Amino acid sequence: MVDLLKELSLLFKTGKVVYGNKEVINVLYHGKVLGVIVASKIPKEIFDKVTYYCKISGIPYYVFDGTSAELGKLCGKPFMISSIAILNQGESNILELFKNE
């Protein structure tokens, strides 16, 4: 079982991520993305758009069961984060989340 808090902390310290809906969708178009984490309790049109681009790009995504404020707090940020694109996992084992989806 993956400890989400620990892995997100490691990911933000040692890996490379992009967060925010516009930025995540942009890298889904143009970059090498290993996976996407998206908060479940965000406006439906935003959730649908991010997951749609993941599906058509063949990128696995993990649905965080919470709000963007909760996801931002888990990431150690003082602001809301609705989606995160993982470009490099660093020393974290965050990609283990996607094996259970």
Side-chain angles (χ1 to χ4, degrees):
M1 186 74 178
V2 176
D3 179 355
L4 187 59
L5 177 59
K6 177 183 162 210
E7 297 305 329
L8 279 172
S9 177
L10 255 170
L11 175 67
F12 271 78
K13 286 179 187 170
T14 64
K16 186 171 181 186
V17 298
V18 172
Y19 48 85
N21 300 317
K22 290 177 186 171
E23 291 81 1
V24 167
I25 290 169
N26 188 39
V27 296
L28 283 170
Y29 270 141
H30 304 293
K32 177 126 174 77
V33 178
L34 301 175
V36 172
I37 299 171
V38 61
S40 65
K41 295 178 177 118
I42 58 175
K44 183 179 178 352
E45 61 275 0
I46 295 171
F47 180 86
D48 290 347
K49 191 172 188 177
V50 171
T51 56
Y52 170 77
Y53 284 111
C54 286
K55 288 175 188 172
I56 65 170
S57 302
I59 306 296
Y61 64 92
Y62 173 79
V63 179
F64 168 72
D65 186 24
T67 65
S68 53
E70 293 167 335
L71 185 56
K73 186 175 179 180
L74 267 181
C75 294
K77 302 295 181 187
F79 47 82
M80 296 185 286
I81 296 177
S82 55
S83 58
I84 303 167
I86 302 165
L87 306 178
N88 180 319
Q89 73 175 4
E91 297 173 14
S92 76
N93 292 319
I94 197 81
L95 296 179
E96 294 294 317
L97 285 174
F98 302 103
K99 293 183 179 176
N100 297 325
E101 287 290 298

